[in-house]
């Protein structure tokens, strides 16, 4: 195999895991990040976020001497390929903010040797690779080759997704770039789709938008199930057995969160709008998702009458299990909405320790407890926001005894109704056929 020198710009979820993957494949990797504390931690073998298996993989590759961490570009570098994996957060209008991508590419323009490949892994609007090519040419670097190599990893299982991807998309402008990408990815066993860069960029957005659509669709079905007395978990199972539909992304609940689906769906609505097209379907997907997050507030209000003074415990703050990422977590919207109703809100999560939330127009740091029994004691209701196995495995009989009112809203449909009934819990769920308000003491 050929060893390639690779520079990875951005050492977050995507950059770090990608860098480690290339290192493991035998390449020599330099990771660059502007965040000094992140680089310092990585040099000490610490991963500044929670991702299963990453600390071990980092330790192994540092030991092998195949990966190094920097706060500035090694200038000039002999890297034949650079990967751009910096953040592309949403602007207030919902489109992707490309400031970090431009900074990264401008840095690479000064650092890379002749003919190197600049592979964009950040999720960027369709047409960005072409614009970056022009930007590089304007800086006297028409020789640099720009590619779009979107990333599809899921947080919480990032290593598995990067080492065993469902597919690899190589958006290229010439054959030499395709060849370089094939060489660098040699050893990964997945179908390769070679396209132009705009198509590759669209594959990324369309994939996320489609998965988000499945989620909003099943949440709509769930809301109807509640009104007509059907069980959405069985509906999803029955639907998913049809291979044309498939079982994945049909778990009804409090909707999607995280750093990608919310941002990328809004960005695609914007991309369409800027191209003169109204993406009606996706706009509805976004709207349904926003409404779904607050379903527990409506349902608890129906039952309690008012939430003023009620103690409500949110079980789960991370946007999904297996990560400490709280970006766009439904828990934060729920916290704010419950506080606005006058409730006393407590939060619990096995890995998140604190979270920032906008309360009454001010940004506040909110503490998160890691002992569910502590925050459930004396509570009037609990909401399962994140389906951590720790919450499913609670001694619910014990919990029901020491909650003031043993009401649990299962926002992820992970608790077993029969077991909860036996434990003495009043269970509310999403789409399992119980819409009528349960009058509560
Ligand atoms: N997180 C995911 O699951 C995921 C999956 C697929 C694609 N993506 C996309 O990949 C991109 C990165 O996402 P992430 O979650 O890894 O972000 P992140 O915020 O975890 O990491 C981005 C890193 O880039 C660094 N950075 C910013 N500007 C820089 C610069 N000019 N030079 C060097 N470093 C710089 C930041 O300090 C940060 O450490 C985004 O576009 C995202 O949409 C994310
Ligand atoms: O049936 C389902 C499946 C997921 N979710 C929610 O959807 C969100 C996203 O979940 P997941 O896809 O597992 O997490 P991410 O790490 O955000 O990964 C998505 O976003 C990444 C960033 O673009 C992509 O790379 C991945 O392919 C894509 O799955 C989470 O809030 C989940 O709770 C549901 O509500 N129901």
């Amino acid at each position: 195999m050929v060893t390639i020198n690779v520079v990875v710009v951005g050492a977050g979820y995507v950059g770090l895991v990608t860098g480690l993957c290339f290192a493991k494949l035998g390449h020599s990797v330099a990771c660059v990040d502007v965040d000094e504390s992140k680089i310092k931690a990585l040099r000490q073998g610490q991963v500044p976020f929670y991702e299963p298996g990453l600390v071990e993989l980092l330790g192994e590759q540092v030991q092998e001497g195949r990966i190094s961490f920097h706060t500035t570009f090694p200038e000039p570098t002999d890297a034949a390929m650079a990967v751009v994996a910096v953040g592309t957060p949403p602007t207030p209008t919902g489109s992707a903010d490309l400031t970090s991508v431009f900074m990264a590419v401008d840095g690479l323009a000064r650092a890379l040797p002749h003919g190197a490949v600049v592979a964009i892994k950040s999720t960027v609007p369709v047409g960005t690779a072409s614009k970056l090519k022009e930007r590089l040419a304007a800086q006297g670097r028409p020789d640099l080759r720009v590619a779009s190599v979107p990333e599809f990893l899921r947080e919480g299982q990032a290593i598995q997704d990067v080492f065993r991807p469902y597919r690899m998309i190589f958006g290229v402008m010439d054959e030499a770039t395709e060849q370089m990408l094939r060489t660098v990815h040699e050893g990964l066993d997945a179908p390769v789709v070679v396209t132009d860069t705009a198509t590759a960029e669209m594959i990324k957005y369309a994939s996320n938008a489609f998965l988000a659509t499945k989620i909003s669709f099943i949440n709509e079905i769930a809301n109807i199930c509640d009104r007509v007395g059907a069980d959405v978990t069985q509906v999803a199972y029955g639907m998913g057995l049809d291979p044309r539909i498939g079982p994945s992304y049909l778990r009804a609940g409090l909707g999607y969160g995280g750093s990608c689906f919310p941002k990328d769906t809004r960005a695609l609505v914007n991309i369409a709008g800027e191209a003169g097209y109204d993406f009606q379907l996706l706009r509805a997907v976004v709207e349904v998702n926003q409404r779904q997050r607050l379903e527990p507030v409506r349902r608890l209000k129906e039952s309690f009458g008012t939430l003023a003074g009620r103690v409500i415990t949110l079980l789960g703050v991370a946007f999904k299990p297996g990560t400490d990422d709280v970006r766009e977590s439904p828990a934060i919207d729920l916290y704010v909405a419950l506080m606005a109703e006058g409730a006393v809100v407590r939060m619990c999560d096995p890995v998140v320790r604190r979270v920032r939330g906008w309360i009454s127009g001010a940004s506040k740091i909110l503490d998160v407890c890691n002992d569910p029994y502590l925050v459930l004691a004396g509570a009037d209701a609990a909401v399962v926001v994140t389906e951590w196995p720790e919450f499913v495995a609670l001694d619910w009989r014990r919990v029901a005894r020491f909650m003031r009112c043993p009401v649990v809203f299962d926002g992820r449909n992970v608790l077993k109704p029969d077991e909860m009934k036996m434990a003495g819990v009043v269970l509310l769920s999403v789409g399992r056929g119980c819409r009528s308000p349960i009058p509560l003491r």
Side-chain angles (χ1 to χ4, degrees):
M1 84 144 264
V2 186
T3 299
I4 310 279
N5 290 345
V6 181
V7 172
V8 177
V9 191
Y13 290 90
V14 172
L16 183 57
V17 186
T18 303
L20 287 168
C21 176
F22 288 146
K24 180 96 179 171
L25 290 174
H27 304 298
S28 173
V29 179
C31 270
V32 183
D33 199 294
V34 286
D35 184 337
E36 286 180 17
S37 62
K38 204 171 248 184
I39 292 299
K40 194 171 163 206
L42 288 165
R43 282 181 179 154
Q44 291 167 353
Q46 294 158 9
V47 176
F49 47 86
Y50 176 78
E51 181 65 41
L54 210 48
V55 175
E56 295 77 7
L57 184 60
L58 172 67
E60 178 194 292
Q61 290 310 308
V62 169
Q63 183 93 28
E64 296 282 336
R66 294 211 199 95
I67 193 160
S68 58
F69 297 96
H70 313 265
T71 48
T72 53
F73 286 108
E75 286 184 43
T77 163
D78 54 359
M81 188 171 110
V83 175
V84 175
V86 298
T88 47
T91 63
T93 62
S95 58
D97 182 345
L98 295 179
T99 312
S100 296
V101 172
F102 291 145
M103 270 179 67
V105 167
D106 293 352
L108 290 169
R110 293 188 293 274
L112 287 177
H114 186 86
V117 170
V118 178
I120 310 297
K121 251 194 190 298
S122 301
T123 303
V124 291
V126 182
T128 301
S130 297
K131 285 189 188 134
L132 292 174
K133 178 79 183 147
E134 285 166 18
R135 190 177 176 100
L136 286 166
Q139 292 174 44
R141 295 305 308 268
D143 57 298
L144 294 179
R145 305 166 194 278
V146 181
S148 166
V149 187
E151 178 54 57
F152 299 95
L153 69 80
R154 284 161 290 183
E155 289 179 20
Q157 51 198 95
I159 295 179
Q160 178 193 317
D161 284 350
V162 169
F163 281 81
R164 284 196 297 280
Y166 295 131
R167 76 299 211 184
M168 294 187 286
I169 308 294
F170 296 164
V172 297
M173 299 180 191
D174 56 52
E175 259 177 46
T177 308
E178 177 188 338
Q179 202 41 58
M180 171 58 77
L181 291 173
R182 285 189 186 275
T183 305
V184 171
H185 289 85
E186 211 177 292
L188 296 181
D189 181 21
V192 173
V193 180
V194 181
T195 68
D196 56 54
T197 52
T199 305
E201 288 161 340
M202 184 54 111
I203 289 172
K204 174 65 194 173
Y205 278 110
S207 300
N208 275 0
F210 185 73
L211 294 172
T213 303
K214 279 185 98 175
I215 297 170
S216 278
F217 179 86
I218 202 66
N219 283 334
E220 289 281 70
I221 295 291
N223 295 339
I224 302 167
C225 282
D226 271 333
R227 287 163 174 80
V228 298
D231 182 342
V232 73
T233 59
Q234 292 186 39
V235 172
Y237 178 68
M239 288 169 65
L241 289 174
D242 182 335
R244 292 171 303 169
I245 298 172
S248 55
Y249 287 78
L250 287 182
R251 278 183 284 113
L254 300 183
Y256 58 79
S259 67
C260 294
F261 285 179
K263 145 176 106 64
D264 294 345
T265 43
R266 285 193 206 105
L268 186 52
V269 167
N270 271 11
I271 291 167
E274 277 163 22
Y277 188 77
D278 178 12
F279 198 158
Q280 267 183 303
L281 176 62
L282 196 57
R283 276 198 291 111
V285 166
V286 171
E287 211 176 292
V288 165
N289 192 60
Q290 201 53 41
R291 193 191 58 204
Q292 195 69 14
R293 290 179 170 193
L294 302 182
E295 191 61 10
V297 182
R298 279 185 291 275
R299 296 279 295 282
L300 290 174
K301 259 175 88 175
E302 269 177 10
S303 292
F304 282 114
T306 170
L307 297 181
R310 295 284 183 179
V311 177
I312 298 177
T313 298
L314 301 182
L315 294 175
V317 177
F319 83 95
K320 67 171 188 178
T323 178
D324 61 357
D325 197 341
V326 297
R327 289 179 281 184
E328 285 271 2
S329 170
I332 300 167
D333 281 1
L334 262 176
Y335 182 96
V336 173
L338 288 166
M339 292 287 283
E341 294 289 337
V344 177
V345 191
R346 301 169 177 170
M347 288 193 286
C348 177
D349 194 280
V351 296
V352 178
R353 289 289 147 267
R354 55 191 62 84
V355 66
R356 189 177 283 280
W358 282 90
I359 313 294
S360 316
S363 169
K364 293 211 173 102
I365 299 284
L366 313 167
D367 285 325
V368 180
C369 178
N370 69 353
D371 181 350
Y373 293 105
L374 206 64
V375 279
L376 284 165
D380 289 294
V383 181
V384 177
V385 184
T386 316
E387 63 275 36
W388 284 102
E390 287 88 335
F391 298 146
V392 179
L394 285 177
D395 178 350
W396 284 102
R397 197 175 288 273
R398 184 178 150 206
V399 171
R401 274 201 307 271
F402 64 47
M403 281 178 78
R404 190 140 66 99
C405 216
V407 176
V408 178
F409 185 105
D410 182 1
R412 297 294 174 184
N413 288 342
V414 284
L415 301 175
K416 295 205 169 68
D418 290 350
E419 286 175 19
M420 290 301 119
K421 197 171 174 189
M422 298 245 295
V425 167
V426 177
L427 187 67
L428 304 174
S429 47
V430 185
R432 305 194 80 177
C434 166
R435 178 71 201 179
S436 42
I438 299 172
L440 301 166
R441 55 189 143 109

